[in-house]
């Protein structure tokens, strides 16, 4: 009986620990403008597994801005761009919660 109880406890706690290991992490999207006057109407939507997490990220002045969003390890992150007046000035980068680059362009 003792062995059964111990195994039952392990089975009941396993989902809790699995969720702790694979909990969502904060990611950061950085937008840059080489001229320093914002994105001039351009914007980006950030999707995680097909669900919009950030809608219409943009900035109207300066050379950079950022936003954060949640995603799990191995989630699919996609970007949907809205065009602006000076798209050639725009660059971007994305990092995970540890500061590792996960994309740029």
């Amino acid at each position: 009986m003792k062995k059964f109880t111990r195994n039952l406890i392990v089975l009941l706690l396993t989902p809790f620990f699995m969720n702790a290991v694979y909990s969502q992490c904060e990611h950061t999207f950085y937008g840059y403008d080489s001229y320093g006057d914002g994105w001039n109407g351009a914007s980006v939507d950030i999707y995680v597994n097909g669900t919009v997490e950030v809608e219409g990220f943009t900035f109207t002045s300066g050379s950079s801005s950022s936003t954060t969003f949640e995603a799990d390890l191995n989630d699919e992150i996609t970007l949907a761009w809205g065009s602006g007046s000076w798209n050639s000035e725009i660059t971007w980068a994305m990092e995970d919660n540890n500061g590792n680059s996960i994309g740029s362009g």
Side-chain angles (χ1 to χ4, degrees):
M1 184 67 173
K2 198 179 225 181
K3 187 174 184 181
F4 173 75
T5 304
R6 185 184 66 221
N7 290 343
L8 181 60
I9 291 171
V10 169
L11 288 173
L12 291 174
L13 291 177
T14 299
F16 171 77
F17 289 115
M18 292 298 287
N19 287 336
V21 171
Y22 295 108
S23 63
Q24 289 192 328
C25 300
E26 186 172 272
H27 290 60
T28 305
F29 178 90
Y30 299 94
Y32 303 103
D33 182 81
S34 63
Y35 193 74
D37 61 348
W39 274 8
N40 299 295
S43 65
V44 64
D45 295 335
I46 303 171
Y47 290 83
V48 177
N49 295 326
T51 301
V52 68
E53 291 294 321
V54 176
E55 186 172 10
F57 170 80
T58 190
F59 59 105
T60 57
S61 64
S63 58
S64 66
S65 187
S66 64
T67 189
T68 59
F69 63 96
E70 300 291 320
D72 287 332
L73 182 66
N74 296 322
D75 278 351
E76 180 183 64
I77 300 169
T78 55
L79 307 175
W81 292 92
S83 187
S85 304
W86 296 95
N87 294 333
S88 62
E89 297 176 2
I90 294 173
T91 56
W92 62 275
M94 205 175 336
E95 294 178 349
D96 66 15
N97 64 317
N98 294 317
N100 299 313
S101 176
I102 58 171
S104 63

